[in-house]
Amino acid sequence: METESEPYVRLASLRALHQAVAKLNTARSMADALQTIADGVVEGLGFELCAVNFVRPDGDLVVAAVTGSDTAEAAMAGRVGSRASWERRLAMGEPWGVLRFIPCTEGWILDKDDVPQFHLPAPVSDDPGRWQPGDRLFAPLYTSGSELLGVMSLDRPRNGRRPGAWTLEALQLYSTQAAIALSNARLRANMQRALVRLEREQQALRASEESFRQAFEYAPSGMAVAEMGGDQHGRLMRANDALCRLLGRPAVTMRRYSFSDLVHPEDIGTLLRTSPEGGRAELRLARRNGTYVWVSLRNSVVADATDGPRFLLTHVEDIEERKRHEIQLAHRASHDSLTGLPNSAELRTRLSSRLCPGPGGAAASAVGGAGIGPVLTQAPSPKADPMIAPFSGPPDEAASLRAAGLGALEAFEGPVDTPASGIPVTRGYDSLHDHAVPPHHEGEKGLAVLFCDLDGFKSINDRFGHHCGDAVLIEVARRLPRRDRRRAGQRPCQAHP
């Protein structure tokens, strides 16, 4: 009978081992590598059954490949054994090098744990060298860093005897090569998953960039991308078609500018105060034809997770119509609808800005740079002639104007005094109080309020009607500012000397 000590048997086993190891390098996936390991034990090392238990990410071991018995494969494949149960088996096994052997006389205590197992039927023998039903042989698969990758579970050599020294040496060599094959297969699997994940991320990035491009280019309102930081901070990198149409400038020339180059000089402070992160401002931008358009700017910073802010995204909305309406409404609120001159509300505002707090109740919150200016209205009372006065409204509104500060000028008549500033100021009953705020800038004039009537205006209304009276008021209102300009040294209009 042939034994393992015979040279030609060893040579045949070595050839079979070499073929089994060579097949390990042909596996393309983890599943192929696991099945090739199990096949090599049966085909190359002479065992009748081999099951490869592979360590899952959670630490438990799953039966990933079975070779040698269809019944065993159906009973074990896919079942899971806990890591604790496997560590118990490896700890109680008799060390055969890196292998662990548990004889049937001791392994009966493992029959009820959760590790999947299958024993080929065989007669029980009294020969201590025979393989008994219930004997267990395990070959752990470790990486070079002593990480457990899996465990090979083997049952009954074909010769029916416990493996000798040569077989055990070959099995240990094979388990080392199998562990290397599993490590390589895991590395390839991780690389493949990383490549798939990278490709998906790149596809998502390309889709996101395309979505942003379409949203940017075809947005109904203006959008621009500007640089952040560096010598070119604020320079426009891209401008969509809507912004180019709004400003009347081609996209190529837009790249030469920043918003600070296009903003109205009076709005440059507003632009500089606008925060890059979520900032919003209303200002004027220059068109190519030299005109300005009111816009609303909204900023947002597009940042990179690692490199920090990269560029500034600005949304530009045309608000020209809204601003025009706001200006019109503000003008209507402060000017007479017939003559276009400032009304009584505007008079109160201007007067209060030129009168300091005093006994008359007027409040001077700021010094006005210009004079009060003419205010014209037609009085509805049939007994009073229409008058030219610094308020708009019926005559009884004069009382409210006096309460607002005009009375301060009428009630506090007194001598005109010239203080150290050289500016004549009318003194009231309190000779130590200046009711008119002195001018702060050279060339500014003092404060004066004039009430005047239009003689014979009632007869025009009675004879020709209010429409004609309104026309007369409009013409008078047009001439009053001209007289102001004459007194200021301006040349009068030639059409109306």
Side-chain angles (χ1 to χ4, degrees):
M1 185 175 181
E2 296 179 350
T3 63
E4 291 183 343
S5 60
E6 298 179 2
Y8 68 87
V9 175
R10 294 186 179 182
L11 181 60
S13 299
L14 184 60
R15 289 175 178 172
L17 177 62
H18 175 73
Q19 293 176 358
V21 171
K23 289 182 179 180
L24 293 177
N25 299 324
T26 63
R28 292 189 173 184
S29 64
M30 179 63 72
D32 289 343
L34 292 168
Q35 190 61 52
T36 302
I37 292 173
D39 294 342
V41 172
V42 175
E43 297 173 1
L45 298 178
F47 285 86
E48 294 187 4
L49 179 64
C50 178
V52 181
N53 301 267
F54 185 65
V55 178
R56 302 191 310 182
D58 60 1
D60 293 337
L61 284 76
V62 60
V63 180
V66 179
T67 300
S69 170
D70 295 338
T71 304
E73 183 177 5
M76 299 175 62
R79 293 182 57 190
V80 178
S82 66
R83 181 66 174 263
S85 298
W86 271 109
E87 290 179 350
R88 179 188 179 193
R89 290 182 174 227
L90 297 179
M92 68 177 294
E94 178 184 348
W96 288 359
V98 297
L99 309 178
R100 295 295 184 269
F101 176 74
I102 302 177
C104 60
T105 56
E106 299 178 6
W108 61 268
I109 61 176
L110 303 175
D111 290 339
K112 294 184 179 180
D113 64 7
D114 58 356
V115 173
Q117 53 190 351
F118 185 86
H119 300 288
L120 296 175
V124 178
S125 174
D126 295 334
D127 185 353
R130 300 287 298 180
W131 184 275
Q132 304 293 338
D135 287 346
R136 296 170 175 85
L137 180 61
F138 304 116
L141 306 177
Y142 291 102
T143 65
S144 57
S146 301
E147 176 190 357
L148 182 64
L149 296 175
V151 179
M152 292 190 298
S153 179
L154 302 94
D155 191 20
R156 205 173 66 185
R158 287 196 183 92
N159 59 10
R161 302 187 63 83
R162 292 182 179 179
W166 170 257
T167 302
L168 294 179
E169 188 67 25
L171 182 57
Q172 292 184 74
L173 176 62
Y174 184 77
S175 64
T176 301
Q177 296 298 319
I180 295 175
L182 283 184
S183 297
N184 293 337
R186 187 174 64 173
L187 179 60
R188 286 194 299 268
N190 291 338
M191 293 179 60
Q192 290 174 355
R193 284 193 294 268
L195 291 174
V196 171
R197 183 169 60 254
L198 179 61
E199 179 62 25
R200 290 177 179 175
E201 291 175 354
Q202 290 178 346
Q203 290 178 357
L205 179 60
R206 287 192 292 267
S208 176
E209 291 177 347
E210 179 63 20
S211 299
F212 173 79
R213 187 192 66 80
Q214 293 185 5
F216 181 87
E217 294 294 340
Y218 301 111
S221 56
M223 297 185 71
V225 176
E227 291 188 7
M228 287 195 66
D231 298 336
Q232 299 294 326
H233 177 76
R235 184 182 66 86
L236 299 181
M237 302 166 59
R238 295 173 61 183
N240 71 344
D241 187 62
L243 181 58
C244 294
R245 291 197 309 269
L246 178 63
L247 301 182
R249 303 174 186 270
V252 176
T253 60
M254 287 290 290
R255 298 191 184 98
R256 306 172 186 170
Y257 300 99
S258 64
F259 281 116
S260 60
D261 300 325
L262 301 174
V263 72
H264 193 282
E266 297 178 0
D267 299 334
I268 188 67
T270 303
L271 178 65
L272 295 177
R273 289 190 301 268
T274 304
S275 172
E277 300 181 0
R280 183 168 185 170
E282 293 184 357
L283 42 78
R284 288 160 289 180
L285 294 180
R287 290 191 174 105
R288 188 177 183 181
N289 59 9
T291 62
Y292 287 90
V293 57
W294 277 99
V295 299
S296 173
L297 295 184
R298 286 179 294 174
N299 295 329
S300 60
V301 177
V302 180
D304 186 81
T306 56
D307 299 334
R310 297 180 58 191
F311 55 85
L312 183 68
L313 178 64
T314 303
H315 181 266
V316 183
E317 183 181 1
D318 183 2
I319 59 172
E320 182 73 17
E321 287 296 325
R322 176 168 67 81
K323 276 294 183 180
R324 184 181 295 113
H325 289 146
E326 289 179 359
I327 295 173
Q328 291 175 355
L329 290 175
H331 187 270
R332 291 176 184 175
S334 60
H335 291 73
D336 183 71
S337 61
L338 176 63
T339 64
L341 294 178
N343 58 17
S344 59
E346 181 68 10
L347 172 64
R348 293 189 185 95
T349 301
R350 295 187 184 184
L351 193 59
S352 64
S353 69
R354 296 300 302 273
L355 294 178
C356 64
S365 59
V367 176
I372 297 296
V375 181
L376 180 63
T377 182
Q378 179 176 353
S381 172
K383 296 182 180 180
D385 287 338
M387 57 186 176
I388 301 175
F391 62 90
S392 176
D396 58 2
E397 197 169 302
S400 64
L401 290 177
R402 290 186 177 91
L406 187 58
L409 298 178
E410 296 178 343
F412 306 132
E413 296 180 355
V416 176
D417 189 15
T418 303
S421 63
I423 302 172
V425 178
T426 301
R427 298 293 186 182
Y429 67 88
D430 183 0
S431 61
L432 300 178
H433 189 78
D434 296 341
H435 297 286
V437 178
H440 282 194
H441 303 284
E442 183 178 357
E444 288 185 358
K445 298 181 178 181
L447 172 65
V449 179
L450 173 66
F451 288 90
C452 59
D453 293 337
L454 290 180
D455 294 338
F457 189 79
K458 182 178 183 299
S459 61
I460 296 177
N461 273 341
D462 294 343
R463 183 177 179 181
F464 299 103
H466 283 280
H467 291 292
C468 185
D470 291 345
V472 172
L473 283 179
I474 293 173
E475 178 62 20
V476 172
R478 187 180 66 83
R479 294 191 180 192
L480 280 175
R482 291 176 56 246
R483 296 192 60 83
D484 289 343
R485 289 195 299 270
R486 283 184 181 182
R487 288 193 297 270
Q490 297 183 11
R491 183 178 180 181
C493 177
Q494 297 298 327
H496 300 281

